[in-house]
């Protein structure tokens, strides 16, 4: 019948996780994972709801740095005047996620660790049964590419590219203790084990941004202006030393970061690097050719605006 | 199964619920409060919106166990007797519903929205209600009704 736990400390949450090895799932807001449960893509017996954890819901942002609890909701981020003033890139990225009502439940940490998506995987059980074998679920072949060994599901987080462009680090707790790692290092370029660089029981508790960028740019491509997951998100910052950090998401198995001094960059090299590093396949509602072409369009737009 | 005490529309309710059950299932199947509609059941359409401590949440995505100790308000708890809430009244007067299936969700989204944004423009309302789908596509009248409700609430 299942179990639902609401721990109040990280220690308690980790010990619950060790009681249910391989058979639990952490919930932040739960807005993404509930759908996986309904579609029978997740069948774990235990749910560990982390929304009651102490000390994980604070926002501290000033002109130099930012510290966010992982269980701050996306709505709190978009409406926080400190974030709007000092880190508008993050406010805009958070405001582009889902709908206003979902943002009141969905959490920052949850959006960073949102599951990868694919048009042939994120469907109802009946739909999947009718279409058949998928590498990520039960089958032995990828239905999108016809390949046998690799899944290309897309990372669809919008706040991840924004925070990677802002050079964020995340604080992670697991049985092995507390670690601080750069945000981009938690993503693996794999459509099935996309958070493979994290321990299985890892809990992201805090996000830190060390400095404020000199300039920023953000744009999200999607079918409707609301609700839809991203088809292409580009977030870019340039710091005071002239180092550009451009991060693309929604077009590959993990966010793709290009970091280079502006002096060494031309718009052609950025586009070439982006197109080379993005493993884009036809697994979104928008056509593949259009999404690939939009990478050029967005990067050109960013280049002109900076 | 878990025995939980919920507070729904001001009334305490003790119910036996499944551990992974959503508040939408509890409201409709165990408490017979069928005003909250089950539509897409995957967080897309907004028809199941209810208020949890004054904050709109999607009933189909919110586990019932998470609602313990919180005040739940559903569409049944919005009006006082025959006196409709201004949002409901304006939806009726402006013809802001056709089949009416999305209407409970629209009301439960618009009420907290107008509390936070007492003087919204038409574009603000469109953004605020962007998570509520109406398959009859009667959006124009819904948005006008919410605009009129904002004016009525401001007196």
């Amino acid at each position: 019948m299942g179990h639902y736990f609401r721990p109040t400390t990280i220690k308690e949450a980790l010990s619950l996780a060790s009681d249910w090895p391989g058979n639990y799932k952490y919930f932040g807001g739960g807005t993404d994972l509930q759908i996986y449960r309904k579609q029978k893509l997740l069948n774990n017996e235990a749910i560990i709801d982390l929304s009651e954890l102490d000390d994980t819901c604070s926002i501290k942002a000033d002109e130099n740095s930012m510290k966010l609890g992982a269980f701050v909701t996306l709505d709190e981020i978009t409406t926080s005047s400190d974030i709007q003033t000092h880190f508008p890139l993050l406010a805009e990225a958070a405001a582009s996620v889902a709908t206003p009502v979902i943002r009141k439940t969905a959490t920052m940490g949850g959006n960073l660790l949102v599951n990868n998506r694919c048009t042939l995987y994120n469907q109802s059980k009946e739909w999947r049964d009718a279409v058949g074998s998928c590498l990520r679920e039960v089958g032995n072949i990828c239905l999108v590419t016809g390949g046998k060994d690799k899944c290309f599901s897309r990372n669809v987080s919008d706040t991840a590219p924004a925070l990677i462009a802002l050079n964020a680090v995340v604080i992670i707790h697991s049985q092995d203790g507390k670690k601080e790692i750069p945000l981009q290092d938690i993503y693996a370029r794999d459509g099935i084990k996309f958070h493979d660089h994290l321990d299985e029981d890892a809990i992201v508790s805090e996000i830190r941004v060390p400095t404020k960028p000199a300039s920023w740019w953000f744009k999200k491509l999607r079918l409707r202006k609301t609700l839809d997951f991203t088809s292409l998100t580009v977030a870019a910052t340039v710091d005071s030393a002239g180092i550009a950090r451009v991060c693309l998401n929604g077009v590959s198995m993990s966010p793709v970061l290009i970091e280079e001094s502006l002096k060494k960059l031309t718009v052609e090299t950025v586009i070439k690097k982006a197109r080379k590093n993005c493993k884009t396949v036809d697994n979104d509602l928008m056509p593949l050719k259009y999404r690939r072409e939009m990478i050029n369009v967005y990067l050109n737009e960013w280049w002109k605006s900076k | 199964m878990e025995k939980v005490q919920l507070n729904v529309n001001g009334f305490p309710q003790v119910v036996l619920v499944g551990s992974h059950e959503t508040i939408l299932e509890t409201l409709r199947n165990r408490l017979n409060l069928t005003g909250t509609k089950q539509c897409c059941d995957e967080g897309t359409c907004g028809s199941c919106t209810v208020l949890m401590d004054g904050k709109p949440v999607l009933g189909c995505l919110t586990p019932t166990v998470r609602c313990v100790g919180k005040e739940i308000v559903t569409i049944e708890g919005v009006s006082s007797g025959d006196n409709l809430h201004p949002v409901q009244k304006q939806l009726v007067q402006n013809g802001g519903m056709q089949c009416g299936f999305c209407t409970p969700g629209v009301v439960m989204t618009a009420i907290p929205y107008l509390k936070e944004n007492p003087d919204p423009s038409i574009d603000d309302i469109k953004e605020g209600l962007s998570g509520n789908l109406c398959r009859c596509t009667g959006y124009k009248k819904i948005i006008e009704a919410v605009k009129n409700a904002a004016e009525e609430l401001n007196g």
Side-chain angles (χ1 to χ4, degrees), chain A residues 274-290:
Chain A
R275 292 286 288 262
K276 192 178 157 211
N277 291 333
C278 294
K279 297 276 173 263
T280 317
V281 297
D282 198 5
N283 58 357
D284 184 36
L285 293 173
M286 289 196 180
L288 175 63
K289 203 176 164 196
Y290 177 71

Side-chain angles (χ1 to χ4, degrees), chain A residues 183-226:
Chain A
L183 177 59
Q184 66 263 33
D185 290 354
I186 68 177
Y187 301 105
R189 283 175 73 77
D190 187 308
I192 299 172
K193 294 173 178 171
F194 30 85
H195 301 137
D196 208 23
H197 298 168
L198 285 178
D199 296 326
E200 202 201 329
D201 62 346
I203 297 174
V204 173
S205 68
E206 196 176 298
I207 298 123
R208 289 182 190 162
V209 177
T211 49
K212 192 180 156 180
S215 67
W216 61 275
W217 193 86
F218 179 84
K219 205 157 181 184
K220 173 175 174 179
L221 175 73
R222 51 181 163 174
L223 282 175
R224 292 168 287 187
K225 275 191 199 158
T226 187

Side-chain angles (χ1 to χ4, degrees), chain B residues 12-78:
Chain B
Q13 305 269 11
V14 179
V15 269
L16 208 54
V17 299
S19 308
H20 294 175
E21 192 171 306
T22 62
I23 189 71
L24 174 66
E25 290 161 352
T26 308
L27 289 171
R28 288 183 61 88
N29 302 341
R30 300 196 196 272
L31 299 174
N32 292 331
L33 293 170
T34 51
T36 308
K37 299 297 180 219
Q38 178 172 22
C39 188
C40 71
D41 208 24
E42 51 182 42
T44 306
C45 71
S47 294
C48 58
T49 310
V50 294
L51 303 186
M52 188 163 116
D53 281 350
K55 186 180 93 169
V57 294
L58 294 177
C60 67
L61 300 183
T62 309
T64 305
V65 185
R66 190 183 271 182
C67 302
V68 175
K70 309 265 163 82
E71 236 171 76
I72 304 293
V73 177
T74 68
I75 186 73
E76 288 91 345
V78 169

Side-chain angles (χ1 to χ4, degrees), chain A residues 11-69:
Chain A
K11 208 174 150 199
E12 204 183 322
L14 291 171
S15 93
L16 281 167
S18 63
D19 292 345
W20 294 88
N23 198 7
Y24 69 91
K25 204 77 196 167
Y26 290 132
F27 262 34
T31 50
D32 187 45
L33 293 180
Q34 279 284 41
I35 301 169
Y36 282 77
R37 296 185 62 79
K38 285 177 191 239
Q39 296 180 334
K40 300 192 173 59
L41 289 164
L42 280 178
N43 300 308
N44 51 296
E45 269 184 82
I47 293 176
I48 305 176
D49 183 343
L50 304 177
S51 59
E52 306 272 306
L53 290 189
D54 299 332
D55 305 327
T56 50
C57 295
S58 64
I59 297 179
K60 278 180 202 141
D62 56 37
E63 53 206 34
N64 299 315
S65 63
M66 174 162 64
K67 231 173 164 184
L68 299 171

